[in-house]
Amino acid sequence: MKLLYLKQKKVASENLMDASNGAVLNKNVEVQKFIYGVHDDQLSELNLELQVNTKRYNVLNERNNSIRDFLRSTDSLNVSEDDFYDLKNSVGSINAEIEKLINEKNEASYISKEFKRELSELDIFLKKTKEKYQENNVKINSLIRLKYTYEHDLQCIDASKKFKKHKVEFTHEGAFECPLCESKLSIDSPVLTEEEVENEIRSLRNRIVGCKTSLERLYNLQDSLNADMRELEVTISSIRGKFDRDNVLIISPLVETINTMHNSKKLVYTKLASAEKNIKLQKKLDESVKEAANLKKTIFFIKESIKGMEEELKNIDDIIYGIAGEFRYLMSHSKLSNNYGSTIDKKFMPVFRDRTYAKISSGGVRTIMSVNLYLSRLRYLIKNGGNLPTFLMLDTPGQNIGRYARVKSVEDNVSDPAVYEEIYKQIVDVKKLSDKHEIKYQIIVVDNDLANCLNNEDYHLVKRFDKSGAEYEKGLIFDA
């Protein structure tokens, strides 16, 4: 709206077109580029699409190069699905061989278990035999001690019989010493009869004979047990030797072969996983390369479309040159003194006397420059067209300019009413352009005076207020 309506407070304002706010001024510049056909929505979309596709294309290329370098470094660039399936078949073959070896190992283990069971039984029997042999040794030692005791007792009885006839000396206590053991005996001690002594001798001799018989039987049994133990030890040694040899010759190689096959399977699985990953990377690379190729075509077509559109769009320098020509024309007829150096800068701001708008100190000159800037835009749009209606609203265009009764109150350099009249002449002059180019337009002006140069056919008066006479209503503009 600010391009169609020059407000009273913007006329001759230092902040014309938001010149004091750089960000807003730049936005206004870009808007005007669009209005004059420098920018096009479709072109902007194509540029954005080109940017997105180019970025995606660069990312894909970088990723493709990384994948390609990785596959090349691992010598996997040419890994095929046939290689992958060959590895899978190898795993199947290795599993079958491992299963076969495990079955053989289980059979050998069964035989080994039988050997172990037999060895265990023989070890138990040998242990029991040794225990029996030790028990018999204990019995033999006991019988030897018992036999010795019986023999000693028998010797003592025989010795007692021999010394029976000898006299013994009594002590004053009524006791005497035993001639055999020298122990003291009481005179009152019981005395065995001859018959009882003979019976005791026979009993001891029978017992000694029994001990000898038992000892002989135990010695024979020990000899038999000793022979059995030696035979068992030989048998166990033979079986254990055979078991160890079978273990070394059959089971150990089987276990070692199974471990080797498992290690081979791990290696094949590693290669299989690597091949599967690399094949996926290859497929991803192929898809990515195809996508990059399609993007490259898309980018080419977008660039061609942009090139065609840019050829149809107007050049910014040509547009500024055209608007500057209109502004220069208006300023040359403005009746201002020192009239030179009129143009439009790159930000579509007016220049007069080779000074930018911001460096013009005269309010009257800035008024003419601001009004003519808006008129220049309207004239250019009528001649060349654009994305803005050929419509203009001016609020008090004669501000800061000597206008009839207020001539003395303004600056000396813009105090000529002819300057004020020229503004309206240029407004009326727009009609000639409109008729020539057959373009409709509308200009709405609100001012404190009505220029004398205007004829009735030059304008349409909507409302007029005047407090000096009764011909017009009295009041403010917002009462209309």
Side-chain angles (χ1 to χ4, degrees), residues 396-407 410 417 420 447-449:
T396 319
Q399 188 171 256
N400 300 319
I401 300 175
R403 298 172 295 181
Y404 314 130
R406 287 177 291 279
V407 171
V410 298
Y420 176 69
D447 204 353
N448 295 326
D449 294 302

Side-chain angles (χ1 to χ4, degrees), residues 322-333:
I323 298 173
E326 298 296 333
F327 182 73
R328 194 177 298 109
Y329 168 79
L330 293 173
M331 292 302 293
S332 66
H333 292 80

Side-chain angles (χ1 to χ4, degrees), residues 428-440:
V428 172
D429 192 49
V430 174
K431 187 176 185 303
K432 295 178 183 179
L433 283 176
S434 172
D435 293 339
K436 179 180 179 180
H437 294 279
E438 297 180 350
I439 298 295
K440 294 182 179 180

Side-chain angles (χ1 to χ4, degrees), residues 22-286:
V24 179
L25 176 62
N26 289 333
K27 183 192 74 173
N28 293 336
V29 170
E30 295 304 314
V31 170
Q32 290 183 79
K33 286 180 181 179
F34 169 75
I35 288 170
Y36 299 129
V38 176
H39 283 177
D40 184 88
D41 283 343
Q42 190 175 1
L43 181 62
S44 299
E45 291 176 3
L46 285 173
N47 278 318
L48 179 60
E49 189 177 351
L50 176 63
Q51 182 182 358
V52 171
N53 282 282
T54 302
K55 183 178 179 180
R56 175 63 178 166
Y57 177 75
N58 292 334
V59 170
L60 283 175
N61 269 343
E62 185 177 350
R63 185 176 68 183
N64 293 344
N65 290 332
S66 298
I67 294 174
R68 200 175 286 110
D69 290 341
F70 171 77
L71 292 174
R72 190 179 292 110
S73 67
T74 56
D75 198 23
S76 306
L77 195 59
N78 298 319
V79 174
S80 64
E81 291 191 0
D82 291 338
D83 298 329
F84 175 75
Y85 287 116
D86 287 344
L87 288 170
K88 287 193 75 172
N89 293 333
S90 296
V91 171
S93 300
I94 291 173
N95 284 333
E97 187 64 26
I98 289 174
E99 185 177 358
K100 179 182 176 182
L101 290 170
I102 288 175
N103 290 334
E104 292 179 7
K105 175 179 170 292
N106 290 338
E107 291 178 5
S109 297
Y110 176 76
I111 295 172
S112 296
K113 286 179 181 178
E114 289 297 315
F115 275 120
K116 285 183 180 179
R117 184 183 60 77
E118 186 176 348
L119 281 172
S120 178
E121 290 176 355
L122 290 173
D123 282 334
I124 291 171
F125 187 63
L126 177 60
K127 182 180 179 182
K128 288 182 178 179
T129 302
K130 287 181 177 181
E131 288 175 353
K132 184 67 176 174
Y133 187 83
Q134 293 298 329
E135 289 175 2
N136 288 342
N137 278 339
V138 172
K139 288 180 181 179
I140 288 172
N141 291 330
S142 297
L143 285 172
I144 288 173
R145 286 193 298 273
L146 184 61
K147 174 175 167 289
Y148 174 77
T149 302
Y150 290 157
E151 288 176 345
H152 178 72
D153 290 344
L154 184 62
Q155 290 175 359
C156 289
I157 291 173
D158 287 340
S160 177
K161 285 175 66 178
K162 290 178 182 180
F163 285 98
K164 188 174 182 183
K165 296 177 180 180
H166 288 232
K167 293 181 180 180
V168 294
E169 294 180 358
F170 290 94
T171 64
H172 63 280
E173 294 149 346
F176 63 94
E177 293 182 352
C178 176
L180 297 177
C181 61
E182 297 181 352
S183 58
K184 288 184 179 183
L185 299 175
S186 173
I187 194 66
D188 297 329
S189 296
V191 179
L192 295 176
T193 63
E194 289 292 331
E195 185 179 357
E196 288 175 336
V197 170
E198 289 298 326
N199 289 335
E200 185 64 24
I201 290 171
R202 281 195 300 274
S203 175
L204 288 172
R205 285 175 179 170
N206 288 335
R207 290 176 189 175
I208 291 170
V209 171
C211 285
K212 288 180 179 180
T213 304
S214 296
L215 283 172
E216 185 177 356
R217 181 176 60 79
L218 284 173
Y219 283 140
N220 293 332
L221 181 59
Q222 288 295 80
D223 290 339
S224 176
L225 289 175
N226 198 22
D228 290 343
M229 285 189 296
R230 284 197 302 272
E231 184 179 354
L232 281 172
E233 287 173 348
V234 171
T235 302
I236 289 171
S237 177
S238 175
I239 293 173
R240 183 168 284 115
K242 188 175 186 306
F243 172 76
D244 291 339
R245 285 193 303 274
D246 290 345
N247 223 16
V248 172
L249 296 175
I250 300 175
I251 297 178
S252 294
L254 282 174
V255 172
E256 186 177 351
T257 305
I258 290 171
N259 291 334
T260 302
M261 296 300 289
H262 275 298
N263 292 333
S264 299
K265 186 171 77 169
K266 289 178 182 178
L267 181 61
V268 174
Y269 265 125
T270 301
K271 292 181 178 179
L272 186 65
S274 178
E276 184 177 13
K277 180 186 70 175
N278 291 336
I279 288 172
K280 287 181 180 179
L281 283 174
Q282 285 182 3
K283 289 182 178 179
K284 192 69 177 176
L285 178 62
D286 292 339

Side-chain angles (χ1 to χ4, degrees), residues 9-25:
K9 64 180 180 179
K10 292 291 185 180
V11 175
S13 169
E14 293 179 356
N15 198 29
L16 180 67
M17 296 303 296
D18 300 295
S20 62
N21 188 330
V24 179
L25 176 62

Side-chain angles (χ1 to χ4, degrees), residues 5-6 371 374-375 392-397 427 443-446:
Y5 176 30
L6 182 57
V371 171
Y374 275 73
L375 285 173
L392 179 59
M393 290 193 298
L394 298 174
D395 189 353
T396 319
I427 291 174
I443 300 176
I444 299 174
V445 181
V446 177

